[in-house]
Amino acid sequence: MSRQTIAVSVKASKLTARALAYVVAAVGRKIAKEHRKAQTPHGKQSVRKLMGHGGDTNAIEVDTPKLFDKVARKWGVDYAIRRVGDEKYLLLFKARQADAITGCFAEYSRLELKRAKSRQPPIREQLRQAEEQVKKQPQRELTKEAAHGDR
């Protein structure tokens, strides 16, 4: 840990404790802002920020980015999601976090399979099943008798 000296100059006709407290708080906010700016971002971020970290990046195709986002927050990985086509997304992540992504992706896959099992069958499949049920039911004949009469 290193110690640094900060020089602050204040122009004031009368330096009160309140003014001094305000200046010290302003300097503290400025230092904290510079510190946050110097740190690399974590979690979900833009592709440009992820590439700016340096190092290699890897990519995986993902179907549901919202579900992956939920899991990735839990694992604390740095990643970016880019839309490639209709309902196709590309997940970009840092190569040095490959182990964390592997665990995260395993949990995501498990949740995705569980979600797929709990879903209803597609509409066409439901229509096909309904059609089969109708065929199995006995058919009733409806006949109309024509009334004979001269009109």
Side-chain angles (χ1 to χ4, degrees):
M1 189 166 158
S2 64
R3 294 178 180 233
Q4 295 178 348
T5 306
I6 300 173
V8 179
S9 65
V10 179
K11 254 187 176 179
S13 58
K14 185 176 181 183
L15 188 62
T16 62
R18 183 175 285 166
L20 186 61
Y22 179 77
V23 169
V24 170
V27 168
R29 285 192 303 270
K30 179 81 170 170
I31 290 170
K33 184 178 178 182
E34 290 297 320
H35 182 67
R36 283 192 308 269
K37 187 178 174 184
Q39 289 181 330
T40 57
H42 295 289
K44 185 176 181 179
Q45 53 199 276
S46 68
V47 176
R48 182 174 287 166
K49 282 184 183 178
L50 188 70
M51 296 294 187
H53 291 194
D56 295 334
T57 57
N58 291 344
I60 299 175
E61 206 167 291
V62 176
D63 294 333
T64 52
K66 284 187 180 181
L67 182 62
F68 183 82
D69 188 39
K70 185 178 179 181
V71 174
R73 284 184 186 166
K74 190 166 123 181
W75 282 80
V77 295
D78 301 338
Y79 66 98
I81 294 180
R82 175 172 232 150
R83 189 176 186 152
V84 178
D86 292 342
E87 297 185 25
K88 288 191 179 187
Y89 298 89
L90 194 64
L91 168 73
L92 298 153
F93 59 94
K94 293 180 184 178
R96 64 177 178 253
Q97 286 188 328
D99 295 335
I101 285 287
T102 303
C104 181
F105 207 72
E107 185 175 338
Y108 164 73
S109 299
R110 186 173 42 81
L111 289 174
E112 185 69 32
L113 287 172
K114 183 192 237 181
R115 192 173 141 235
K117 285 180 183 177
S118 67
R119 276 194 225 157
Q120 291 183 349
I123 298 290
R124 290 184 184 190
E125 184 65 32
Q126 289 178 6
L127 287 172
R128 211 173 290 128
Q129 289 173 358
E131 193 176 319
E132 288 173 11
Q133 286 178 353
V134 169
K135 286 180 181 177
K136 288 179 183 178
Q137 292 177 352
Q139 296 290 327
R140 290 188 290 159
E141 282 189 35
L142 298 175
T143 58
K144 284 189 175 181
E145 292 183 17
H148 295 285
D150 295 325
R151 290 189 187 188

